[in-house]
Amino acid sequence: MSATVAASPADTGASSLPLRVALVGNPNTGKTTLFNRLCGANAKTANFPGTTTAMRTGKSAASGAQPIEIIDLPGLYGLTSTSPEARIVGDLLQGTGSLGAPDAVVVLVDATNLARNLVLVGELLSRAEPRSEEHTSELQSRFGISYA
């Protein structure tokens, strides 16, 4: 399935609310680097356990496209951990955090260490909500996204 973003939310009747996208992954997989590129930021992350226990948000938008709020989450190895990072990520994904649930999740993995990274991917997939045709229609009307 591929997604294409409409040229302008006004053309599709989409709301002016930004699409909220969370960046999730193990430590050192490039979440903050991607966040910086998408948002034009210069954020830095310390990569020691327990030192990066906050999320950051930024705005991004392609020319003429729906605005996007990017949420850079702390790195974690699993959602079942009792670490502060796992609590922050788990709360956001469940919608119980201060920002509510994101509209989409981008999972970054390190291809040189797939075994460790795919543990988190499996946990995320097991928690994913099934998407219905109705949900797809809502995304299409709200954000101007069409699926082929």
Side-chain angles (χ1 to χ4, degrees), residues 85-100:
E85 296 89 347
R87 249 187 327 275
I88 290 167
V89 173
D91 286 351
L92 180 84
L93 295 177
Q94 292 173 6
T96 58
S98 60
L99 296 177

Side-chain angles (χ1 to χ4, degrees), residues 122-131:
E123 289 181 6
L124 290 164
L125 287 173
S126 71
R127 290 184 175 203
E129 295 178 18
R131 301 296 183 206

Side-chain angles (χ1 to χ4, degrees), residues 40-99:
N42 191 25
K44 304 250 187 260
T45 300
N47 287 307
F48 304 102
T51 59
T52 307
T53 58
M55 62 183 126
R56 61 178 61 94
T57 62
K59 302 284 186 199
S60 178
S63 178
Q66 175 76 24
I68 302 169
E69 179 181 21
I70 308 294
I71 306 166
D72 183 18
L73 293 167
L76 72 161
Y77 293 106
L79 294 169
T80 57
S81 168
T82 58
S83 70
E85 296 89 347
R87 249 187 327 275
I88 290 167
V89 173
D91 286 351
L92 180 84
L93 295 177
Q94 292 173 6
T96 58
S98 60
L99 296 177

Side-chain angles (χ1 to χ4, degrees), residues 25-27 29 107-111 113-122:
N26 289 169
T29 54
V107 184
L108 285 85
V109 299
D110 177 358
N113 197 346
L114 283 177
R116 181 176 62 192
N117 284 245
L118 290 178
V119 170
L120 177 60
V121 173

Side-chain angles (χ1 to χ4, degrees), residues 8 18 23 71 93 133-134 136:
S8 170
L23 304 177
I71 306 166
L93 295 177
E133 187 66 37
E134 180 180 316
T136 303

Side-chain angles (χ1 to χ4, degrees), residues 1-4 129-133 135-137 139-140 145-148:
M1 173 174 10
S2 64
T4 56
E129 295 178 18
R131 301 296 183 206
S132 65
E133 187 66 37
H135 180 78
T136 303
S137 297
L139 287 175
Q140 189 170 7
I145 298 173
S146 61
Y147 293 89

